[in-house]
Amino acid sequence: MTANTRTDDPLVDLDDIGTNPTSNPSFTDLIASRLSRRRLFGLGVGTAGTALLQACGGGGDGGAAFPILPAAPAPAPVPPAPSPAPAPAPLKLNFGAVAKSLDDVVSVPVGYTASVLYRLGDPIASGVAAYKNDGSDEAATYDRRAGDHHDGMTFFGMNASNKWDATNASRGLLVMNHEAITPLFLHPAGQTISGTGNAAVRTVAGEVLREFYLHGVSVIEVNKSGSTWSYKQDSSLNRRVHTLTEMSFSGPAAKTDYLKTRYSTDGSKTRGTVNNCANGTTPWGTYLTCEENWAGYFRRIKATDDAKRTNPKEVTSFSRYGVAGTGRELWATVTGGDDIHARWNTEVIGATALDDYRNGSNTYGWVVEIDPFNPNSMPKKRTALGRFGHEGACLGPVVVGKPLVWYMGDDSQNEYLYKFVSTKAWDAADVGGGTAAGDKYMDDGKLYVAKFKADGSGDWLELKLGVNGITAANANYAFADAADVLINTRLAADSAGATKMDRPEWTAVNPKNGEVYLTLTNNSARTISGANNTVGTDAANPRYYNDPKGATAQKGNPNGHVIRFADTGGNPAAVTFKWDVYLFGARSTASADINVSNLGGDNDFSSPDGMWFSQAAPGLLWLETDDGKYTDVTNCMLLAALPGTVGDGAAKTITNVDGATTATQATFVGKAPGTDGLRRFLVGPVDCEITGIAESGDGRALFVNIQHPGENSKTIGDPNTFLSHWPDGAKSRPRSATVVITRNDGGLIGL
Ligand code: FEO
Ligand code: CA
Ligand code: CA
Ligand code: CA
């Protein structure tokens, strides 16, 4: 399928797409490169008098707290710890591994409790009724209810004056993304659609309004009372940002022709945000939400619209971003619809760009800054950070007097890793400065894309007009100006020769040493040899194998891996780095060339995605999975890890196999973690993704999102066919939800 063609097959993963046809240099060509290199060491970032504040993920009737029982078989009891207890040094994982499970529950170790905090549809304003969860809730109330598909999330501790206080352990704003929807569970009988193919239309506007509101971001006040967390339904700080929320553009592409629409004829604004996947933070206390698979929401019937495009560059751009199809939810087709529906049609319709939404899809694909402490503030789309399938934006080490850095994945097959480096140096006086501070640090800087080289080093390639082939003379795409480079970041990165990765998901920065981790979730498009114009293995994406699921072959890199790197000299603004592969996903039973990290039954996993370093316990890494490959054996999971450093392992040559064909691939592999370095902490309910993670200021509450349990259910009329009934049980419709995990003795989570 293509990225944006509507599908009624729930088994098609709308994230698992690729629109990168370019043939950048393959490391297969560089196989002769020497493998020797020096060992790498920690970075030692932060100096006396400076702060290391990296924190990318975290920073009424809240729904009854449903205790969730530990999984069977019961792990070993957790020894009691003094409370409060300082983080042990060195850190040591201190819980019994949770067994793999196909049960429809959240399983956590003995000695821990996971409670449901915030479910799809839960009300966040006074006067809004409890969610009936049968498709009958009034559409107009959904702008004051929890969205669907909870995803990236940050806890902002808050003091009694409602200001940001990162250390607060009992009160805060929990800010989270709502990436997408499972339509089957939202309406009385799924989406009401008339016609098929390009002629299919949505006939019930109220259903579409629900869906507009169910995407976006939640800001909710959460409080701890005793040992119990709940959200405050009537807090004045609660807010929903959704697809109808007005937003402004900031940075070099703002107010350029590329962003002009009927809604904003000067290109300064747009409405809404969508497919908000992972997240990020700023050191001044705002939240970043990232627009990932936005392309699929737009209607653009390629066959007819291409012919109307007088500028062929626009067709090249649409092709590179995959803007072609009916729109995955058919929002542009509403019978009797108006401008809020028409704006999802990005075809040429009117006389000029000021009369239609031919540029509408250019207004999506950005990192968006939201000030959660100012409910009336307008979110800003930060164009300097580029436009692509933004997974997340993890803030690098924060040092007074140094530039700020955000690391960003582009999650589609064979896409790239980016970083943005601010021009301005960090001044701690800007804490609390809201989006005005964002104007200072995020609108002016350098955007880079990563090239992972076969010798274990790497280059950050600048994406700027006039460098790396990004010029008007470029044969693939004639770049016109600075805004063109940012609107078409993927095309600029192609020109620079970036490395095609196995779907870059979250980034995370180790607060102990500034090293950066990147999940590469999986890639069914990776081939063993790169023959026939395909993308073969390379040093940074070294595996090709088959992980069969029953009788079904799953080839390429179905289980994914986690790569990590250290920017040279401990300087996040450096333009070179050293890397190795920290961890390879695999079944524990797979061969040594597949299970390269020697995972066992207590820590094997597939398809890493969400990832975040604890701030309360520096060095503790949380790893989440969004898997469909190993789900014959286990539901998705959360693992705790204590990683070492780049270069703690060795050079290795992996033998890849495809039937009778074998090929070798040289790479660099981190030290195998063992169960002391990686252990399963949580397994989710059936058919869910585990994503989004944050902790309270003292590390004694861990917030985790359970996304789309039961999403592959097929029959709306018969609850007996639902694959999950989590979290409410019985015959209920399943709901995405946030859970909060605490240790029964009040200690640090995981240690
Ligand atoms: Fe929305 Fe790449 O996960
Ligand atoms: Ca993700
Ligand atoms: Ca994913
Ligand atoms: Ca998902």
Side-chain angles (χ1 to χ4, degrees):
M1 63 168 285
T2 62
N4 306 326
T5 301
R6 181 181 168 77
T7 175
D8 293 322
D9 180 356
L11 296 177
V12 172
D13 180 358
L14 289 166
D15 287 353
D16 188 12
I17 56 179
T19 55
N20 188 352
T22 58
S23 52
N24 289 341
S26 162
F27 295 122
T28 311
D29 303 332
L30 303 173
I31 198 71
S33 298
R34 286 200 307 263
L35 291 175
S36 62
R37 61 169 187 166
R38 66 179 185 273
R39 282 178 72 88
L40 298 160
F41 299 94
L43 300 179
V45 292
T47 57
T50 63
L52 187 60
L53 295 170
Q54 183 277 330
C56 55
D61 172 10
F66 299 99
I68 298 165
L69 296 175
V78 177
S83 179
L91 302 183
K92 189 173 186 304
L93 298 181
N94 185 25
F95 60 90
V98 171
K100 295 187 287 283
S101 169
L102 294 170
D103 295 339
D104 195 28
V105 299
V106 172
S107 304
V108 293
V110 167
Y112 287 84
T113 300
S115 305
V116 175
L117 179 73
Y118 184 57
R119 303 160 295 182
L120 160 68
D122 276 339
I124 64 162
S126 57
V128 179
Y131 191 56
K132 293 201 280 284
N133 195 26
D134 60 3
S136 70
D137 295 278
E138 180 61 37
T141 66
Y142 278 67
D143 61 343
R144 286 154 289 148
R145 296 186 180 278
D148 203 357
H149 285 212
H150 303 33
D151 208 318
M153 174 169 56
T154 297
F155 177 88
F156 292 91
M158 183 165 66
N159 64 21
S161 303
N162 290 350
K163 301 294 184 193
W164 182 38
D165 171 8
T167 64
N168 197 300
S170 60
R171 180 173 189 249
L173 296 179
L174 195 59
V175 188
M176 75 183 72
N177 295 340
H178 298 287
E179 183 182 27
I181 56 174
T182 307
L184 189 64
F185 300 122
L186 300 177
H187 312 305
Q191 293 174 331
T192 309
I193 297 170
S194 173
T196 59
N198 290 349
V201 297
R202 299 287 298 272
T203 57
V204 180
E207 292 177 3
V208 173
L209 186 62
R210 281 195 190 114
E211 295 173 14
F212 285 164
Y213 288 144
L214 285 164
H215 290 75
V217 175
S218 281
V219 180
I220 52 170
E221 180 183 337
V222 292
N223 292 281
K224 184 171 129 179
S225 174
S227 60
T228 302
W229 285 85
S230 61
Y231 78 88
K232 188 167 185 270
Q233 180 178 339
D234 61 354
S235 172
S236 62
L237 291 161
N238 290 348
R239 181 183 190 185
R240 283 297 320 283
V241 171
H242 45 69
T243 58
L244 297 171
T245 305
E246 186 170 66
M247 307 195 174
S248 63
F249 287 105
S250 203
K255 299 183 182 178
T256 61
D257 287 349
Y258 307 95
L259 298 177
K260 291 178 179 173
T261 61
R262 187 164 79 198
Y263 179 73
S264 178
T265 55
D266 67 353
S268 65
K269 291 179 182 174
T270 188
R271 278 165 294 187
T273 185
V274 82
N275 212 259
N276 306 85
C277 195
N279 59 318
T281 56
T282 69
W284 53 93
T286 60
Y287 181 80
L288 303 176
T289 187
C290 303
E291 299 175 340
E292 188 195 25
N293 285 310
W294 49 272
Y297 288 81
F298 287 92
R299 181 180 182 89
R300 196 182 80 87
I301 305 305
K302 178 176 167 58
T304 48
D305 189 58
D306 278 2
K308 296 177 184 171
R309 298 279 170 174
T310 54
N311 182 350
K313 284 174 56 180
E314 294 178 5
V315 175
T316 301
S317 177
F318 285 130
S319 174
R320 186 64 182 82
Y321 284 87
V323 183
T326 59
R328 61 191 267 180
E329 312 301 352
L330 300 172
W331 286 343
T333 70
V334 171
T335 308
D338 59 19
D339 191 70
I340 64 171
H341 307 108
R343 55 78 58 100
W344 293 103
N345 185 332
T346 198
E347 298 174 349
V348 172
I349 293 171
T352 76
L354 310 187
D355 302 308
D356 59 23
Y357 292 95
R358 69 187 65 181
N359 292 328
S361 59
N362 286 345
T363 72
Y364 280 73
W366 305 102
V367 172
V368 186
E369 185 182 11
I370 297 171
D371 181 358
F373 294 93
N374 185 354
N376 298 314
S377 60
M378 187 183 295
K380 287 194 174 185
K381 298 201 174 190
R382 297 289 179 194
T383 65
L385 277 66
R387 176 173 168 267
F388 43 90
H390 274 288
E391 176 75 25
C394 184
L395 177 64
V398 176
V399 180
V400 169
K402 301 289 187 187
L404 298 173
V405 182
W406 286 267
Y407 299 93
M408 308 178 287
D410 180 357
D411 179 16
S412 281
Q413 292 175 345
N414 303 318
E415 291 297 345
Y416 309 130
L417 171 69
Y418 299 84
K419 77 172 176 182
F420 175 81
V421 180
S422 71
T423 299
K424 299 283 195 320
W426 172 238
D427 179 352
D430 288 318
V431 169
T435 57
D439 295 346
K440 175 178 175 182
Y441 296 104
M442 303 192 87
D443 287 348
D444 181 16
K446 291 182 176 176
L447 183 63
Y448 298 93
V449 70
K451 179 173 186 170
F452 291 82
K453 299 199 286 192
D455 66 355
S457 69
D459 295 329
W460 287 109
L461 308 169
E462 190 176 2
L463 303 178
K464 184 176 75 172
L465 193 67
V467 304
N468 291 317
I470 305 167
T471 67
N474 187 296
N476 185 39
Y477 186 88
F479 292 91
D481 51 35
D484 201 1
V485 176
L486 294 172
I487 298 276
N488 291 289
T489 304
R490 283 181 173 173
L491 289 162
D494 294 344
S495 174
T499 301
K500 297 176 177 179
M501 309 298 285
D502 286 341
R503 293 185 55 196
E505 298 256 21
W506 290 47
T507 49
V509 178
N510 189 342
K512 283 177 68 175
N513 56 22
E515 292 184 354
V516 186
Y517 288 66
L518 166 67
T519 45
L520 296 161
T521 194
N522 55 56
N523 188 356
S524 58
R526 186 72 60 179
T527 68
I528 192 169
S529 66
N532 302 318
N533 218 21
T534 59
V535 180
T537 63
D538 60 43
N541 302 276
R543 287 187 304 170
Y544 175 93
Y545 52 99
N546 179 21
D547 171 24
K549 189 178 186 180
T552 305
Q554 303 180 120
K555 294 185 176 182
N557 177 16
N559 302 141
H561 57 290
V562 183
I563 202 166
R564 64 184 169 187
F565 56 92
D567 282 323
T568 300
N571 174 15
V575 295
T576 57
F577 58 88
K578 298 287 185 184
W579 65 267
D580 69 10
V581 178
Y582 160 55
L583 197 58
F584 290 91
R587 294 172 195 249
S588 60
T589 52
S591 70
D593 281 304
I594 299 171
N595 186 12
V596 179
S597 297
N598 197 25
L599 304 178
D602 286 343
N603 61 12
D604 60 341
F605 70 95
S606 174
S607 303
D609 190 338
M611 182 175 53
W612 182 69
F613 274 96
S614 169
Q615 304 301 296
L620 174 63
L621 176 69
W622 293 103
L623 185 62
E624 302 173 312
T625 69
D626 173 17
D627 184 46
K629 309 299 194 225
Y630 198 17
T631 42
D632 49 340
V633 172
T634 185
N635 301 336
C636 287
M637 64 185 72
L638 167 70
L639 304 108
L642 298 172
T645 56
V646 174
D648 65 8
K652 182 178 178 65
T653 298
I654 292 172
T655 299
N656 292 316
V657 178
D658 186 13
T661 304
T662 63
T664 58
Q665 176 62 59
T667 186
F668 300 94
V669 178
K671 181 183 175 189
T675 53
D676 287 344
L678 180 70
R679 198 175 299 170
R680 190 177 305 106
F681 182 82
L682 175 153
V683 178
V686 174
D687 212 18
C688 78
E689 167 186 347
I690 306 297
T691 184
I693 185 160
E695 68 189 359
S696 58
D698 61 357
R700 286 166 165 74
L702 191 67
F703 302 91
V704 174
N705 280 330
I706 310 297
Q707 191 187 76
H708 61 58
E711 70 165 344
N712 290 312
S713 304
K714 288 185 175 174
T715 309
I716 188 64
D718 181 4
N720 295 308
T721 66
F722 295 176
L723 298 180
S724 172
H725 298 283
W726 190 89
D728 298 338
K731 297 294 184 187
S732 65
R733 298 179 179 198
R735 301 161 78 178
S736 294
T738 305
V739 296
V740 56
I741 299 162
T742 52
R743 209 165 105 178
N744 297 347
D745 64 7
L748 285 167
I749 309 297
L751 302 174

